Every structure is written in structure tokens, then in C-alpha cells.
Amino acid sequence: MILEMKVPSPGESIKEVEIATWLVKDGDYVEKDQAIAEVDSDKATLELPAEASGVITLKASEGDTVAVGAVVCLIDTAAAKTAAAPAAPAIAEKPAEAPTRGVAESSAAKAEAPKSAPAPAPAVVATYAAQTPSPAARKILEEKNIQPSDIVGTGKGGRITKDDAVNAVASMGTPTTGGSRGSERTKLSMLRRKVAERLVSAKNETAMLTTFNEVDMTNIYALREQYKDEFKNKHGVGLGFMSFFTKAVTRALQLYPDVNSMIDGQEKISYNFCDISVAVSGPKGLMVPVMRNAENLTFRGVEAEIKRLALRARDGQITVDEMTGGTFTISNGGVFGSMLSTPIINPPQSGILGMHNVVDRPIVRNGQIVIAPVMYVALSYDHRIIDGRESVGFLVAVKEALENPVEILMDNNPKKALEL
């Protein structure tokens, strides 16, 4: 029996996907539920599992864009597992059939050498003429400090003419001493193309503005130092910055609800819940999964949920539903060493908070200059819906909560807040 495998729908709004990588080869025997391909949608990369066991025949190539519901492969369920054995010679020969460009040129040159090799004497003449400059051309190239080997001659037999030398321009600051000058062109994944499209759209279609502040992290450092071991031993997750920032953000969103709103045409939609999108780095690029009802999560709940989502993003298991519907985004560029940035809004949301690295800096405390661990924070917001008072007030509320976590975020009882 021949089973037609069709592209399943990754989400309600997705009409097509792109075959990112085939994990099997044509003629392979596959087991039911084995991952046979990775497919990119404009929101996520998902694995395509085999619907039955049998010998597979591929009907689409890597890089092809196919509609949801289209047939991408056939599985011969009647074929025995040993039926895939004859495919082995084809696999061995495949590099010769569809190699990379460099290998193809090398192979073609070797294959054609016996047929096209000229007589010894002409070969010497051709070698001498190719890329050999005329006297006038040589002088010009010496003045330009350009090597003849970097020029393709247009004269007879590849000889470099005076015009070739006059028109020759050294690459932008690139040494002309025969070093490697290779380049590679690869197609962007559908996910990366969609991210690029959304970023440009956010810049062009919103009145984006960024406001900054700094946070003295001394008290958070002290709390983590005091409770991190006990917290990890009891809950199995680390006590990181993200739980403090998430709690501070959800509190500020409730104080300034315009920041937790978005524009839909000529209407404003405001939410009485906080679904916080968290930017995490995955193998296919930036992913932004969502913590649902983050305002109800405890410190342990936030850390556990972030760990779960980060692992799923890393393993390529994140789903479209898990990345849809956030009302506000937190992005932590500090893990990569960023000191300061202006994060771009994640549309249709109206605000995004950028975290950065923590550096010991001199600050004034109680009239004295002291050294403290300081983080710069940035709030980018859509000025069409959020005024300066709300944006600055929101960021100040975040700062106040982070600098006074015991009082504001823990109700003066850290052990209870951390469930210890």
C-alpha cells in the first residue's frame, strides 16, 4: 500500500510551509513516528513524523515551499525493511549527482581532463598567456598594487590588456596577496524571512520610541546569594533574574494598563491579564514563546515555565500556539553581553522591555558615591497608544520593584514568596 504523506496544518493562519531539511534520504526505510523532515512556517520550525513504517519516496526538495495539505512524500507500507538495501549504492553515488558547486567544478574538470587535454606545446603557450599582463598593463597594476592573479584577462588566451588594468579596482580594503576570497549564498529560512518582515513592519508602521533607566541590582544579588541554593534544591530550577523582572513587569502593567494594550484599526484593545512573551535563542534563531497569565505565577512558577519553554525552543519542539498571543515582551540581551540597546516592538504588542548586562558602576547612595551592580533597562513603546507619562511611569515602577524586591514583590516575606 502506498501512503501519501501530506503537510499538516501547524496553525490556523498558516497556509504554506518550507521544507527546511530532510532527515532521511529517498529510498530509506522509516519507522512510524520517526522524524523525517524539519519544516519551517513563518512562526516556528516543526518536525514532520512518519505516519507509517515503510520505504519512503520524497516528492519535494529542501527549500521548496509547499501548501498545507500538499503531498511531500510517499511511504510504501508493504515494503519490507530489507527493501531499502538496494538504495545503498545510490547513496554512495549521490555526492557525484548533486554536490556543492565547488565539488561539481572539480569533478567536472577531472572527468573532462582526458578528453580536452591539449598537446604539450600549446598547453605551455596557454599557461603563459592566461593572466599575463602586457607591459603597459603590468605598469598600471604595479601602481595600483594589484596582483595579475586577481584579474581576469579579456585578451587573447586570457591575456591582461591595458584596459583590464585601467578598470581593475582592488576590493574594499581586501588584501590583494592571493588570500581566500570565497563567499556563500544561502536562502533564509521562512521563519527568518518572517522575522525580518515583522521587524521592518514594526519600524515602519509604529511610532516607536525608547525610554531608558538604570536599576541598582544590589538587593536582588543579595536575595539570590542568600536563597539560590535552597531554592534550587527544593524546586529543581535556578533563581534567576527573569522571575524578578517578570514579577516587576506584571505589577507595572497593572498600574499602567495602556502599556498592556494594542491597536486594532481604530480601536484600542486592553487586557486584564498579562501574557508575557520571552525572547529566547534557539537553533533556528530568535523564538518568543509566551508565559500565560504571568501575573498569577510565583517565582518558582516563572522560573519553571521559562526553563520549559527555553528547552522546547532549543530542541525545536516549540509550537505556534506557544508563541502566539503575548501582550508584552521581555528581551534579555544581557546574556550575550549587551550593555544598552533599543529593542524593537513585537507587533501587535505595544511595548517591549530590554534587559542588559550587569556591570559594577559608581552610583550615589545616601549622598555617598559607592560601587554597585547596575543594569540599564530600556522600554520601547508605540507612542500612538502609550504617552510619555505612562511609559516613563511604567519603567520607574519596574525600577522601584527591582530595587526594593522584598517590600514590593515579596510582601516582606522572602521565604514565603520563594515557597521555601
Side-chain angles (χ1 to χ4, degrees):
M1 175 182 173
I2 303 298
L3 172 68
E4 292 184 339
M5 272 201 58
K6 300 179 180 179
V7 178
S9 174
E12 185 177 343
S13 62
I14 298 175
K15 305 301 181 186
E16 61 182 19
V17 299
E18 185 176 283
I19 304 297
T21 306
W22 280 110
L23 304 177
V24 296
K25 293 180 282 293
D26 200 44
D28 279 0
Y29 186 90
V30 298
E31 301 285 354
K32 183 178 180 182
D33 296 327
Q34 173 186 344
I36 60 174
E38 290 182 351
V39 296
D40 281 345
S41 72
D42 58 10
K43 295 184 178 178
T45 297
L46 306 171
E47 286 188 345
L48 186 66
E51 296 177 6
S53 300
V55 173
I56 192 168
T57 301
L58 308 184
K59 292 296 183 181
S61 302
E62 290 184 359
D64 284 356
T65 299
V66 293
V68 170
V71 176
V72 289
C73 65
L74 306 176
I75 298 179
D76 184 357
T77 59
K81 191 168 186 177
T82 54
I91 295 172
E93 295 171 3
K94 190 169 184 179
E97 297 170 6
T100 61
R101 183 177 178 183
V103 175
E105 291 171 351
S106 175
S107 300
K110 291 178 181 179
E112 294 175 5
K115 298 179 182 178
S116 59
V124 172
V125 173
T127 302
Y128 173 78
Q131 292 186 300
T132 301
S134 67
R138 182 181 298 279
K139 183 177 180 181
I140 294 171
L141 292 178
E142 287 175 353
E143 292 174 351
K144 291 185 173 184
N145 195 27
I146 297 176
Q147 298 295 322
S149 59
D150 293 331
I151 306 299
V152 178
T154 60
K156 186 175 180 180
R159 192 175 182 85
I160 299 174
T161 66
K162 180 180 178 180
D163 286 342
D164 294 333
V166 169
N167 295 327
V169 179
S171 278
M172 299 175 288
T174 303
T176 56
T177 54
S180 175
R181 298 285 301 280
S183 63
E184 182 181 4
R185 183 184 295 267
T186 56
K187 185 178 180 181
L188 293 174
S189 69
M190 182 178 286
L191 175 61
R192 176 50 59 184
R193 296 198 303 271
K194 187 63 176 179
V195 168
E197 178 185 318
R198 286 168 61 85
L199 292 177
V200 172
S201 173
K203 292 285 287 184
N204 293 339
E205 298 177 10
T206 65
M208 196 177 80
L209 191 62
T210 304
T211 184
F212 304 93
N213 216 316
E214 63 180 15
V215 177
D216 180 354
M217 302 287 286
T218 299
N219 290 331
I220 289 180
Y221 266 51
L223 281 169
R224 292 181 70 223
E225 183 64 27
Q226 182 176 356
Y227 295 111
K228 64 180 182 180
D229 292 336
E230 188 178 356
F231 186 87
K232 187 167 186 177
N233 289 337
K234 181 167 183 180
H235 303 305
V237 290
L239 180 60
F241 291 151
M242 284 302 299
S243 53
F244 289 95
F245 273 80
T246 301
K247 299 291 286 183
V249 163
T250 56
R251 171 181 175 270
L253 288 175
Q254 291 168 338
L255 292 174
Y256 296 92
D258 278 353
V259 184
N260 200 40
S261 304
M262 58 187 67
I263 289 179
D264 183 13
Q266 296 184 351
E267 298 177 332
K268 179 177 79 171
I269 303 174
S270 298
Y271 300 96
N272 61 3
F273 56 87
C274 302
D275 282 357
I276 304 299
S277 303
V278 183
V280 297
S281 182
K284 296 292 184 177
L286 189 69
M287 304 284 185
V288 194
V290 180
M291 289 188 289
R292 309 291 178 188
N293 287 104
E295 75 278 7
N296 297 329
L297 295 177
T298 62
F299 283 83
R300 177 191 62 80
V302 171
E303 296 293 353
E305 182 66 358
I306 287 175
K307 180 180 179 180
R308 182 186 74 84
L309 293 172
L311 289 175
R312 287 178 61 77
R314 183 197 67 186
D315 297 338
Q317 298 176 340
I318 207 79
T319 66
V320 173
D321 288 341
E322 288 174 309
M323 294 195 296
T324 304
T327 63
F328 186 87
T329 295
I330 300 176
S331 177
N332 186 4
V335 297
F336 304 111
S338 172
M339 182 189 78
L340 192 62
S341 67
T342 55
I344 298 178
I345 296 169
N346 180 21
Q349 297 173 19
S350 298
I352 177 172
L353 180 73
M355 300 167 55
H356 301 92
N357 62 356
V358 180
V359 177
D360 285 342
R361 293 188 173 94
I363 65 169
V364 177
R365 184 187 297 156
N366 299 323
Q368 300 293 321
I369 296 177
V370 297
I371 301 300
V374 173
M375 176 191 288
Y376 294 143
V377 290
L379 172 70
S380 291
Y381 60 97
D382 190 345
H383 210 344
R384 297 177 303 164
I385 192 171
I386 302 170
D387 291 331
R389 187 186 75 86
E390 281 73 23
S391 62
V392 174
F394 172 90
L395 199 55
V396 169
V398 170
K399 170 184 169 71
E400 290 173 345
L402 293 172
E403 292 184 342
N404 302 280
V406 173
E407 177 187 349
I408 296 177
L409 300 180
M410 296 178 165
D411 197 24
N412 291 308
N413 192 339
K415 292 185 74 71
K416 181 179 178 181
L418 297 176
E419 302 174 76
L420 299 176

